[in-house]
Coordinates of all heavy atoms in Angstrom, one line a residue:
M13 N 71.4 185.7 -44.9 CA 72.6 185.0 -45.0 C 72.7 184.0 -46.2 O 71.7 183.3 -46.4 CB 73.0 184.3 -43.7 CG 74.4 183.6 -43.9 SD 74.7 183.0 -42.1 CE 76.2 181.9 -42.5
T14 N 73.6 184.1 -47.1 CA 73.8 183.2 -48.2 C 74.6 182.0 -47.9 O 75.6 182.1 -47.3 CB 74.3 184.0 -49.4 OG1 73.6 185.1 -49.7 CG2 74.3 183.1 -50.6
A15 N 74.1 180.8 -48.3 CA 74.9 179.6 -48.2 C 76.1 179.6 -49.0 O 76.1 180.1 -50.1 CB 74.0 178.4 -48.5
Q16 N 77.2 179.1 -48.4 CA 78.4 179.0 -49.2 C 78.4 177.7 -50.0 O 78.2 176.7 -49.3 CB 79.6 179.2 -48.3 CG 80.9 179.2 -49.0 CD 81.0 180.4 -50.0 OE1 80.9 181.5 -49.7 NE2 81.3 180.1 -51.3
H17 N 78.8 177.8 -51.2 CA 79.0 176.6 -52.0 C 80.5 176.4 -52.2 O 81.2 177.3 -52.5 CB 78.2 176.8 -53.3 CG 76.7 176.9 -53.1 ND1 76.1 178.2 -53.1 CD2 75.8 176.0 -53.0 CE1 74.8 178.1 -52.8 NE2 74.5 176.7 -52.8
R18 N 80.8 175.1 -52.2 CA 82.2 174.7 -52.5 C 82.2 173.7 -53.7 O 81.2 172.9 -54.0 CB 82.7 174.0 -51.3 CG 82.9 174.9 -50.1 CD 83.6 174.2 -48.9 NE 84.9 173.8 -49.1 CZ 86.0 174.7 -49.2 NH1 85.8 176.0 -49.1 NH2 87.2 174.2 -49.3
V19 N 83.3 173.8 -54.5 CA 83.3 172.9 -55.6 C 84.8 172.4 -55.7 O 85.7 172.9 -55.1 CB 83.0 173.9 -56.9 CG1 84.2 175.0 -57.1 CG2 83.0 173.0 -58.1
W20 N 84.8 171.1 -56.4 CA 86.1 170.5 -56.5 C 86.0 169.7 -57.8 O 84.9 169.5 -58.4 CB 86.5 169.7 -55.4 CG 85.5 168.5 -55.2 CD1 85.7 167.2 -55.6 CD2 84.3 168.5 -54.4 NE1 84.6 166.4 -55.2 CE2 83.8 167.2 -54.5 CE3 83.6 169.5 -53.7 CZ2 82.6 166.9 -53.9 CZ3 82.4 169.3 -53.2 CH2 81.9 167.9 -53.2
I21 N 87.2 169.3 -58.3 CA 87.3 168.4 -59.5 C 87.9 167.2 -59.1 O 88.9 167.2 -58.4 CB 88.0 169.1 -60.6 CG1 87.2 170.3 -61.1 CG2 88.3 168.2 -61.7 CD1 88.0 171.2 -62.1
D22 N 87.4 166.1 -59.6 CA 88.0 164.8 -59.4 C 88.9 164.5 -60.7 O 88.4 164.2 -61.8 CB 86.9 163.6 -59.3 CG 87.5 162.3 -59.2 OD1 88.8 162.1 -59.5 OD2 86.8 161.4 -58.7
Q23 N 90.1 164.8 -60.5 CA 91.0 164.8 -61.8 C 91.1 163.4 -62.4 O 91.4 163.3 -63.6 CB 92.4 165.1 -61.3 CG 92.6 166.7 -61.3 CD 92.0 167.4 -60.1 OE1 91.8 166.7 -59.1 NE2 91.6 168.6 -60.2
D24 N 90.7 162.3 -61.7 CA 90.6 161.0 -62.3 C 89.5 160.9 -63.3 O 89.6 160.0 -64.1 CB 90.5 159.9 -61.2 CG 91.7 159.7 -60.4 OD1 92.7 160.1 -60.8 OD2 91.6 159.2 -59.2
L25 N 88.5 161.8 -63.1 CA 87.4 161.8 -64.1 C 87.4 162.8 -65.2 O 86.7 162.9 -66.1 CB 86.1 161.9 -63.3 CG 85.8 160.8 -62.3 CD1 84.5 161.2 -61.5 CD2 85.7 159.4 -62.9
C26 N 88.4 163.8 -65.0 CA 88.5 164.9 -66.0 C 89.0 164.4 -67.3 O 90.0 163.8 -67.3 CB 89.5 166.0 -65.3 SG 89.6 167.4 -66.4
T27 N 88.2 164.8 -68.4 CA 88.7 164.4 -69.8 C 89.4 165.6 -70.4 O 89.9 165.5 -71.5 CB 87.5 164.1 -70.5 OG1 86.6 165.3 -70.7 CG2 86.6 163.0 -70.0
G28 N 89.4 166.8 -69.7 CA 90.2 167.9 -70.3 C 89.4 168.6 -71.4 O 90.0 169.2 -72.2
D29 N 88.0 168.4 -71.4 CA 87.2 169.0 -72.5 C 87.1 170.5 -72.4 O 86.7 171.2 -73.3 CB 85.8 168.4 -72.7 CG 84.9 168.5 -71.6 OD1 85.2 169.3 -70.6 OD2 84.0 167.8 -71.5
G30 N 87.3 171.0 -71.1 CA 87.3 172.5 -71.0 C 86.1 173.2 -70.8 O 86.1 174.4 -70.7
I31 N 85.0 172.4 -70.6 CA 83.7 173.1 -70.3 C 83.8 174.0 -69.1 O 83.3 175.2 -69.1 CB 82.6 172.1 -70.2 CG1 82.4 171.5 -71.6 CG2 81.3 172.7 -69.8 CD1 81.4 170.4 -71.7
C32 N 84.3 173.5 -68.1 CA 84.3 174.2 -66.8 C 85.1 175.5 -66.9 O 84.8 176.5 -66.5 CB 84.8 173.4 -65.7 SG 86.5 172.7 -65.9
V33 N 86.3 175.4 -67.5 CA 87.2 176.5 -67.7 C 86.5 177.5 -68.7 O 86.6 178.8 -68.4 CB 88.6 176.1 -68.4 CG1 89.4 177.3 -68.7 CG2 89.2 175.2 -67.5
Q34 N 85.8 177.1 -69.7 CA 85.1 178.0 -70.6 C 84.0 178.8 -69.9 O 83.8 179.9 -70.1 CB 84.6 177.2 -71.8 CG 83.7 178.1 -72.8 CD 83.2 177.2 -74.0 OE1 84.0 176.3 -74.4 NE2 82.0 177.4 -74.3
E35 N 83.3 178.0 -69.1 CA 82.0 178.6 -68.4 C 82.4 179.5 -67.1 O 81.7 180.4 -66.9 CB 81.1 177.5 -68.0 CG 80.4 176.7 -69.2 CD 79.6 177.6 -70.1 OE1 78.8 178.5 -69.5 OE2 79.5 177.6 -71.3
A36 N 83.4 179.1 -66.4 CA 83.6 179.8 -65.1 C 85.1 180.0 -64.9 O 85.7 179.2 -64.2 CB 83.1 179.0 -64.0
R37 N 85.8 181.0 -65.7 CA 87.2 181.1 -65.6 C 87.6 181.6 -64.4 O 88.9 181.5 -64.0 CB 87.6 182.1 -66.7 CG 87.3 181.6 -68.1 CD 87.9 182.5 -69.2 NE 87.7 182.1 -70.5 CZ 88.5 181.2 -71.1 NH1 89.5 180.7 -70.5 NH2 88.2 180.8 -72.4
D38 N 86.8 182.2 -63.5 CA 87.3 182.7 -62.2 C 87.5 181.5 -61.2 O 88.0 181.7 -60.1 CB 86.3 183.7 -61.6 CG 86.4 185.0 -62.4 OD1 87.3 185.2 -63.1 OD2 85.3 185.8 -62.2
V39 N 87.0 180.3 -61.5 CA 86.9 179.2 -60.6 C 87.8 178.1 -61.1 O 88.4 177.5 -60.4 CB 85.5 178.8 -60.3 CG1 85.5 177.6 -59.4 CG2 84.6 179.8 -59.9
F40 N 87.8 177.9 -62.4 CA 88.6 176.6 -62.9 C 89.6 177.1 -63.9 O 89.5 178.1 -64.6 CB 87.6 175.8 -63.7 CG 86.4 175.4 -62.9 CD1 85.0 175.8 -63.2 CD2 86.5 174.4 -61.9 CE1 83.9 175.4 -62.5 CE2 85.3 174.0 -61.2 CZ 84.1 174.5 -61.4
E41 N 90.6 176.3 -64.0 CA 91.8 176.5 -64.9 C 92.4 175.2 -65.2 O 92.6 174.4 -64.3 CB 92.7 177.6 -64.3 CG 93.8 178.1 -65.2 CD 94.6 179.2 -64.6 OE1 94.0 180.1 -64.1 OE2 95.9 179.1 -64.6
F42 N 93.0 175.2 -66.4 CA 93.9 174.0 -66.7 C 95.3 174.2 -66.0 O 95.9 175.3 -66.0 CB 94.1 173.9 -68.2 CG 92.8 173.3 -68.9 CD1 92.3 174.0 -69.9 CD2 92.4 172.1 -68.6 CE1 91.1 173.6 -70.5 CE2 91.3 171.5 -69.2 CZ 90.7 172.2 -70.1
D43 N 95.9 173.0 -65.7 CA 97.2 173.0 -65.3 C 98.0 172.4 -66.5 O 97.4 171.9 -67.6 CB 97.5 172.2 -64.1 CG 98.9 172.5 -63.4 OD1 99.6 173.4 -63.8 OD2 99.2 171.8 -62.4
I44 N 99.3 172.3 -66.4 CA 100.2 171.9 -67.6 C 99.9 170.3 -67.9 O 100.3 169.9 -69.0 CB 101.7 172.1 -67.4 CG1 102.1 171.4 -66.0 CG2 102.0 173.6 -67.3 CD1 103.6 171.5 -65.8
D45 N 99.3 169.7 -66.9 CA 98.9 168.3 -67.3 C 97.7 168.1 -68.1 O 97.3 167.0 -68.4 CB 98.8 167.4 -65.9 CG 97.7 168.0 -65.0 OD1 96.9 169.0 -65.4 OD2 97.6 167.5 -63.9
G46 N 97.0 169.2 -68.5 CA 95.9 169.2 -69.3 C 94.5 168.9 -68.7 O 93.6 168.7 -69.2
L47 N 94.7 168.9 -67.3 CA 93.5 168.6 -66.5 C 93.1 169.9 -65.8 O 93.9 170.8 -65.6 CB 93.8 167.5 -65.5 CG 94.2 166.2 -66.0 CD1 94.6 165.2 -64.8 CD2 93.2 165.6 -66.9
A48 N 91.8 170.0 -65.5 CA 91.3 171.2 -64.8 C 91.4 171.1 -63.3 O 91.3 169.9 -62.7 CB 89.9 171.4 -65.1
Y49 N 91.6 172.2 -62.7 CA 91.7 172.4 -61.2 C 91.0 173.6 -60.8 O 90.7 174.5 -61.6 CB 93.2 172.6 -60.7 CG 94.0 171.3 -61.1 CD1 94.4 171.0 -62.3 CD2 94.3 170.3 -60.0 CE1 95.2 169.9 -62.5 CE2 95.1 169.2 -60.2 CZ 95.5 169.0 -61.5 OH 96.2 167.8 -61.8
V50 N 90.7 173.8 -59.5 CA 90.0 174.9 -59.1 C 90.9 176.0 -58.6 O 92.3 175.7 -58.3 CB 89.0 174.5 -57.8 CG1 87.9 173.7 -58.2 CG2 89.8 174.0 -56.7
K51 N 90.5 177.1 -58.5 CA 91.3 178.3 -58.1 C 90.8 178.8 -56.8 O 89.6 178.8 -56.5 CB 91.5 179.5 -59.1 CG 92.0 179.0 -60.4 CD 92.3 180.1 -61.3 CE 91.1 180.7 -62.0 NZ 91.5 181.7 -63.0
N52 N 91.6 179.4 -55.9 CA 91.1 180.0 -54.8 C 90.7 181.4 -55.0 O 90.8 181.9 -56.1 CB 92.2 180.0 -53.6 CG 93.5 180.7 -53.8 OD1 93.5 181.6 -54.7 ND2 94.5 180.5 -53.1
A53 N 90.4 182.2 -53.9 CA 89.8 183.5 -54.1 C 90.8 184.5 -54.7 O 90.5 185.6 -55.2 CB 89.3 184.1 -52.8
D54 N 92.1 184.2 -54.5 CA 93.2 185.0 -55.0 C 93.6 184.7 -56.4 O 94.5 185.2 -57.0 CB 94.4 185.0 -54.1 CG 94.3 185.5 -52.8 OD1 93.4 186.5 -52.6 OD2 94.8 185.0 -51.7
G55 N 92.9 183.7 -57.0 CA 93.1 183.3 -58.4 C 94.3 182.3 -58.5 O 94.7 181.9 -59.6
E56 N 94.7 181.8 -57.4 CA 95.8 180.7 -57.3 C 95.2 179.4 -57.7 O 94.3 179.0 -57.0 CB 96.5 180.8 -55.9 CG 97.6 179.8 -55.7 CD 98.1 179.7 -54.3 OE1 97.6 180.5 -53.5 OE2 99.0 178.9 -54.0
L57 N 95.9 178.7 -58.5 CA 95.5 177.3 -59.0 C 95.8 176.4 -57.8 O 97.0 176.3 -57.3 CB 96.2 177.0 -60.2 CG 95.7 175.7 -60.9 CD1 94.3 176.0 -61.4 CD2 96.6 175.5 -62.2
L58 N 94.9 175.7 -57.4 CA 95.1 174.7 -56.3 C 95.3 173.2 -57.0 O 94.4 172.6 -57.4 CB 93.8 174.6 -55.5 CG 93.4 176.0 -54.8 CD1 92.1 175.8 -54.0 CD2 94.6 176.6 -54.0
T59 N 96.6 172.9 -57.0 CA 96.9 171.7 -57.8 C 96.9 170.3 -57.1 O 97.2 169.3 -57.6 CB 98.3 171.9 -58.5 OG1 99.2 172.2 -57.4 CG2 98.3 173.0 -59.4
A60 N 96.4 170.4 -55.9 CA 96.3 169.1 -55.1 C 95.0 168.4 -55.6 O 94.0 169.1 -56.0 CB 96.1 169.5 -53.6
T61 N 95.1 167.2 -55.8 CA 94.0 166.4 -56.4 C 92.7 166.7 -55.5 O 92.8 166.5 -54.3 CB 94.3 164.9 -56.4 OG1 95.5 164.7 -57.2 CG2 93.2 164.0 -56.9
A62 N 91.6 166.9 -56.1 CA 90.3 167.1 -55.5 C 90.3 168.3 -54.5 O 89.5 168.4 -53.6 CB 89.8 165.9 -54.9
A63 N 91.3 169.3 -54.6 CA 91.2 170.5 -53.8 C 89.9 171.2 -53.9 O 89.4 171.2 -55.0 CB 92.3 171.4 -54.2
Q64 N 89.4 171.7 -52.8 CA 88.1 172.4 -52.9 C 88.3 173.9 -52.8 O 89.3 174.4 -52.2 CB 87.3 171.9 -51.7 CG 86.9 170.4 -51.8 CD 85.9 170.1 -50.7 OE1 85.3 170.8 -50.0 NE2 85.7 168.7 -50.6
T65 N 87.3 174.7 -53.3 CA 87.3 176.1 -53.1 C 86.0 176.6 -52.9 O 85.0 175.9 -53.5 CB 88.0 176.7 -54.4 OG1 88.3 178.1 -54.1 CG2 87.2 176.7 -55.6
D66 N 85.8 177.8 -52.3 CA 84.5 178.4 -52.3 C 84.1 179.0 -53.6 O 85.0 179.6 -54.3 CB 84.5 179.5 -51.2 CG 84.7 178.9 -49.8 OD1 84.4 177.8 -49.6 OD2 85.2 179.7 -48.9
V67 N 82.8 178.9 -53.9 CA 82.4 179.4 -55.2 C 82.0 180.9 -55.0 O 81.1 181.1 -54.1 CB 81.1 178.7 -55.8 CG1 80.6 179.4 -57.0 CG2 81.5 177.3 -56.0
P68 N 82.7 181.8 -55.5 CA 82.3 183.2 -55.4 C 80.8 183.5 -55.8 O 80.3 182.8 -56.8 CB 83.2 184.0 -56.3 CG 84.3 183.1 -56.7 CD 83.8 181.7 -56.5
A69 N 80.1 184.3 -55.1 CA 78.7 184.4 -55.3 C 78.4 184.8 -56.8 O 77.5 184.3 -57.4 CB 78.1 185.5 -54.4
G70 N 79.2 185.6 -57.3 CA 79.1 186.0 -58.7 C 79.4 185.0 -59.8 O 79.2 185.2 -61.0
A71 N 79.9 183.8 -59.4 CA 80.2 182.8 -60.2 C 79.4 181.6 -60.1 O 79.6 180.6 -60.8 CB 81.8 182.4 -60.1
L72 N 78.5 181.6 -59.2 CA 77.6 180.4 -59.0 C 76.8 179.9 -60.2 O 76.8 178.7 -60.6 CB 76.7 180.6 -57.8 CG 75.9 179.5 -57.4 CD1 76.7 178.3 -57.1 CD2 74.9 179.9 -56.2
V73 N 76.3 181.0 -60.9 CA 75.5 180.5 -62.2 C 76.4 179.8 -63.2 O 75.9 178.8 -63.8 CB 74.9 181.8 -62.7 CG1 74.2 181.5 -64.1 CG2 73.8 182.3 -61.8
E74 N 77.6 180.4 -63.4 CA 78.6 179.9 -64.3 C 78.9 178.4 -63.9 O 79.0 177.5 -64.8 CB 79.7 180.7 -64.5 CG 79.4 182.1 -65.3 CD 78.8 183.1 -64.4 OE1 78.7 182.9 -63.2 OE2 78.5 184.1 -64.9
V75 N 79.3 178.2 -62.7 CA 79.7 176.9 -62.1 C 78.5 175.9 -62.4 O 78.8 174.8 -62.8 CB 80.0 177.0 -60.7 CG1 80.3 175.6 -60.1 CG2 81.3 177.8 -60.5
V76 N 77.3 176.3 -62.0 CA 76.1 175.4 -62.2 C 75.9 175.1 -63.6 O 75.7 173.9 -64.1 CB 74.9 176.0 -61.5 CG1 73.7 175.2 -61.9 CG2 75.0 176.1 -60.1
E77 N 76.1 176.1 -64.5 CA 76.0 175.8 -66.0 C 77.0 174.8 -66.5 O 76.7 173.9 -67.2 CB 76.0 177.1 -66.7 CG 75.8 177.0 -68.2 CD 74.5 176.4 -68.6 OE1 73.6 176.3 -67.7 OE2 74.2 176.1 -69.8
A78 N 78.3 175.1 -66.0 CA 79.3 174.1 -66.4 C 78.9 172.7 -66.0 O 79.1 171.7 -66.8 CB 80.6 174.5 -65.8
A79 N 78.4 172.5 -64.8 CA 78.1 171.2 -64.3 C 76.9 170.6 -65.2 O 77.0 169.4 -65.5 CB 77.6 171.2 -62.8
R80 N 75.9 171.4 -65.5 CA 74.8 171.0 -66.2 C 75.3 170.6 -67.7 O 74.9 169.5 -68.2 CB 73.8 172.1 -66.5 CG 72.9 172.3 -65.2 CD 72.0 173.4 -65.5 NE 71.1 173.5 -64.3 CZ 70.2 174.5 -64.2 NH1 70.2 175.5 -65.1 NH2 69.4 174.6 -63.2
L81 N 76.2 171.4 -68.2 CA 76.8 171.0 -69.6 C 77.5 169.7 -69.6 O 77.6 169.0 -70.5 CB 77.6 172.1 -70.1 CG 76.9 173.4 -70.5 CD1 77.9 174.5 -70.8 CD2 75.9 173.1 -71.7
R82 N 78.1 169.3 -68.4 CA 78.8 168.0 -68.3 C 77.8 166.8 -67.9 O 78.3 165.8 -67.6 CB 80.0 168.2 -67.2 CG 81.1 169.0 -67.7 CD 81.8 168.1 -68.8 NE 82.3 166.9 -68.3 CZ 82.6 165.9 -69.1 NH1 82.5 165.9 -70.3 NH2 83.1 164.8 -68.5
G83 N 76.5 167.2 -67.8 CA 75.6 166.1 -67.5 C 75.3 165.8 -66.1 O 74.7 164.8 -65.8
V84 N 75.7 166.8 -65.2 CA 75.5 166.4 -63.7 C 74.0 166.6 -63.6 O 73.4 167.6 -64.0 CB 76.2 167.4 -62.8 CG1 75.9 167.3 -61.4 CG2 77.9 167.3 -63.1
D85 N 73.4 165.7 -62.8 CA 72.0 165.8 -62.5 C 71.7 166.9 -61.7 O 72.4 167.1 -60.6 CB 71.6 164.5 -61.7 CG 70.1 164.4 -61.7 OD1 69.4 165.4 -61.4 OD2 69.6 163.3 -61.8
E86 N 70.7 167.7 -62.0 CA 70.4 168.9 -61.2 C 70.1 168.6 -59.7 O 70.6 169.4 -58.9 CB 69.1 169.6 -61.9 CG 69.0 171.0 -61.2 CD 67.9 171.7 -62.2 OE1 67.7 171.4 -63.3 OE2 67.4 172.7 -61.6
E87 N 69.6 167.5 -59.4 CA 69.4 167.1 -58.0 C 70.7 167.0 -57.2 O 70.8 167.2 -56.0 CB 68.6 165.9 -57.9 CG 67.1 166.1 -58.3 CD 66.2 164.9 -58.1 OE1 66.7 163.9 -57.6 OE2 64.9 164.9 -58.5
D88 N 71.6 166.6 -58.0 CA 73.0 166.3 -57.3 C 73.8 167.7 -57.1 O 74.7 167.6 -56.3 CB 73.9 165.4 -58.2 CG 73.4 164.0 -58.2 OD1 72.6 163.6 -57.4 OD2 73.6 163.3 -59.2
L89 N 73.3 168.7 -57.7 CA 74.0 170.0 -57.6 C 73.8 170.6 -56.2 O 74.7 171.3 -55.7 CB 73.6 170.9 -58.7 CG 74.1 170.6 -60.1 CD1 73.4 171.6 -61.1 CD2 75.6 170.5 -60.3
G90 N 72.6 170.4 -55.7 CA 72.4 171.0 -54.4 C 72.0 172.5 -54.4 O 72.1 173.0 -53.3
V91 N 71.8 173.0 -55.6 CA 71.4 174.4 -55.7 C 70.3 174.6 -56.7 O 70.1 173.7 -57.5 CB 72.6 175.3 -56.1 CG1 73.7 175.4 -55.2 CG2 73.1 174.8 -57.5
E92 N 69.5 175.6 -56.6 CA 68.5 175.9 -57.6 C 68.7 177.2 -58.0 O 68.7 178.2 -57.3 CB 67.1 175.7 -57.0 CG 66.6 174.4 -56.6 CD 65.2 174.4 -56.0 OE1 64.4 175.2 -56.4 OE2 64.9 173.6 -55.1
I93 N 68.9 177.4 -59.3 CA 69.0 178.6 -60.0 C 68.1 178.8 -61.2 O 68.0 177.9 -62.0 CB 70.5 178.8 -60.5 CG1 71.5 178.8 -59.1 CG2 70.8 180.1 -61.3 CD1 72.9 178.8 -59.6
G94 N 67.4 179.9 -61.3 CA 66.5 180.1 -62.4 C 67.3 180.9 -63.5 O 68.1 181.8 -63.2
F95 N 67.2 180.4 -64.6 CA 67.9 181.1 -65.8 C 66.9 181.9 -66.6 O 65.7 181.6 -66.7 CB 68.5 180.1 -66.7 CG 69.7 179.5 -66.1 CD1 69.6 178.4 -65.3 CD2 71.0 180.1 -66.2 CE1 70.7 177.8 -64.8 CE2 72.0 179.5 -65.7 CZ 71.9 178.3 -64.9
Ligands
SF4_109 S1 84.3 170.1 -67.4 FE1 86.3 170.6 -66.6 S2 86.6 169.1 -64.9 FE2 84.9 168.3 -66.2 S3 85.9 167.0 -67.7 FE3 85.8 169.1 -68.7 S4 87.7 170.1 -68.1 FE4 87.5 168.2 -66.8

């Protein structure tokens, strides 16, 4: 059994630089306010502040890479992925 990972964005901290959208388009997308939000499994943008979504298994590497590029400490990610 594979552990399910969830992800969310704190829009108060989002600078709109687009790294998450660039790295994991199936999970993150900009809204018209220029901030990033997560999408659900149907690709629907979840525009509630800090809405959470499950990370599709096929997108986990991209989500982790986006977090790394934004400077998130690997220990804070809660996952280990070999590249
Ligand atoms: S990586 Fe995404 S959520 Fe983080 S600051 Fe950039 S656009 Fe915002």
Side-chain angles (χ1 to χ4, degrees):
M13 183 170 165
T14 303
Q16 182 61 56
H17 298 91
R18 295 181 64 76
V19 66
W20 65 92
I21 292 172
D22 182 341
Q23 279 76 25
D24 287 339
L25 300 176
C26 178
T27 65
D29 65 13
I31 290 175
C32 59
V33 176
Q34 178 180 319
E35 293 295 321
R37 293 185 181 280
D38 291 343
V39 180
F40 305 109
E41 187 174 314
F42 285 122
D43 199 3
I44 57 174
D45 60 5
L47 301 176
Y49 293 80
V50 296
K51 299 194 283 188
N52 66 17
D54 295 327
E56 177 186 359
L57 195 62
L58 304 178
T59 57
T61 300
Q64 298 187 10
T65 193
D66 292 334
V67 178
L72 183 57
V73 171
E74 289 81 4
V75 168
V76 170
E77 182 62 9
R80 285 181 174 168
L81 289 171
R82 284 293 298 160
V84 175
D85 190 320
E86 195 165 337
E87 290 183 7
D88 292 336
L89 293 175
V91 296
E92 287 185 35
I93 294 179
F95 288 91

